Each structure stands twice: as C-alpha cells, then as structure tokens.
Amino acid sequence: MKTVAILSSLLLFGATSVSAAPVSERETQAPTEMDITAFSANTQPHGDGAFISFNIAIPNTSMSTTCGYSDQTSVSVLPDVSLRPCDDPAVEWQFRQDPSIPGTEGRYRVVITYAYDGVKRVAGYHEWPATDFPLESFGSTSETFYRGQPDFTITDLS
C-alpha cells in the first residue's frame, strides 16, 4: 500500500512538473527567396504620371500581396519611390535608378523587405540594366516603359 502511495505521489508530482514547464516557442525559419510576378513600370504616354506594380509571394508561407505606385506628376522618367508598404504592410518596397557612371546609364533597382515571425525582417533586391527601361517616342512625347521579364525571383535575402 505504501508503494502505491509513493508511486502515485511521484506520478502526480511528475505530471505537475511537466505541465508547469514552459512551452518553448517554435522559431520560424527566415525566407530564402521572394517570387515576383507581373512586374510593370511606365510613364503615361501623352500625359503626366507614372505607374509601377507587381505581385510578390514568399514560398512556403501564406504571404502573397500586391505592391504598387502611381502619380500624376512624372513626365517621361520613372521616379524614385521611397520605402512604402504593399497591400499587406508586412512587405515594403522601394524603387530607384542608381546614379550614372560617365558614359553609362544607371541601373534600376527594386528593394523589398518582409517582416516575418513578429519583428524579424529579411530584405533582398533585383537590378536591371537601363536598357530594360527604354525611352520610347510617342510622336511629340517620349515615355519610359519596362520591357524586361515580368517574372523573376529574388534570392540571397539578408
């Protein structure tokens, strides 16, 4: 009888100590790539304005959102776009053309950040040569249009 009482006490104490132990949080792995689709950018023919838009998905997560910008002030050159949220504010992006080196045109670049697992962030970027953004003639005006691949993957996130 004493043996049963001692075993019962040990089992009860063991169960209590197990249930009182803290539950460790599962750490979310950092994404390793971002899939960009339907990237487009252009200035408005025969008017003032610029448009940049694209979709982004983070593989192995439920993250999928649209990012976009438009204005009514750009003339024939795409503007630098400061860091701004996408439709899902966990994703932010910016766009710009790098300064030119003498004899060349600067490369274009989009930078994207993604907040995951609370406050953790990863970032990556994609660059294009200026030739992917030609200035095209429309009679009396010239406008910039993106003519590169609309879908691409950003890797090497940090």
Side-chain angles (χ1 to χ4, degrees):
M1 192 72 146
K2 286 184 181 182
T3 306
V4 171
I6 292 172
L7 285 175
S8 296
S9 295
L10 287 173
L11 289 174
L12 182 60
F13 175 72
T16 304
S17 65
V18 168
S19 65
V23 176
S24 62
E25 292 183 24
R26 193 177 67 162
E27 189 171 317
T28 303
Q29 293 297 318
T32 58
E33 67 182 47
M34 300 175 182
D35 293 334
I36 311 302
T37 58
F39 184 90
S40 67
N42 66 279
T43 54
Q44 182 67 37
H46 302 291
D48 293 342
F51 305 92
I52 302 169
S53 67
F54 58 94
N55 301 316
I56 179 170
I58 310 292
N60 303 316
T61 72
S62 60
M63 173 54 65
S64 179
T65 190
T66 299
C67 307
Y69 169 86
S70 67
D71 70 34
Q72 301 303 313
T73 57
S74 296
V75 182
S76 62
V77 177
L78 289 168
D80 287 349
V81 178
S82 60
L83 192 64
R84 61 190 324 102
C86 295
D87 289 349
D88 185 323
V91 178
E92 295 181 321
W93 69 285
Q94 65 182 17
F95 177 85
R96 66 176 291 207
Q97 183 177 18
D98 293 336
S100 299
I101 297 173
T104 67
E105 290 185 60
R107 297 177 66 80
Y108 286 85
R109 176 189 326 252
V110 65
V111 176
I112 302 172
T113 68
Y114 170 55
Y116 71 98
D117 198 26
V119 297
K120 297 177 184 175
R121 282 197 168 281
V122 293
Y125 67 92
H126 185 76
E127 290 183 321
W128 300 271
T131 54
D132 280 355
F133 294 84
L135 194 61
E136 298 178 4
S137 178
F138 287 87
S140 62
T141 66
S142 294
E143 305 300 335
T144 301
F145 281 84
Y146 174 63
R147 298 297 187 203
Q149 293 295 319
D151 303 338
F152 52 90
T153 299
I154 297 175
T155 57
D156 297 326
L157 306 181
S158 57

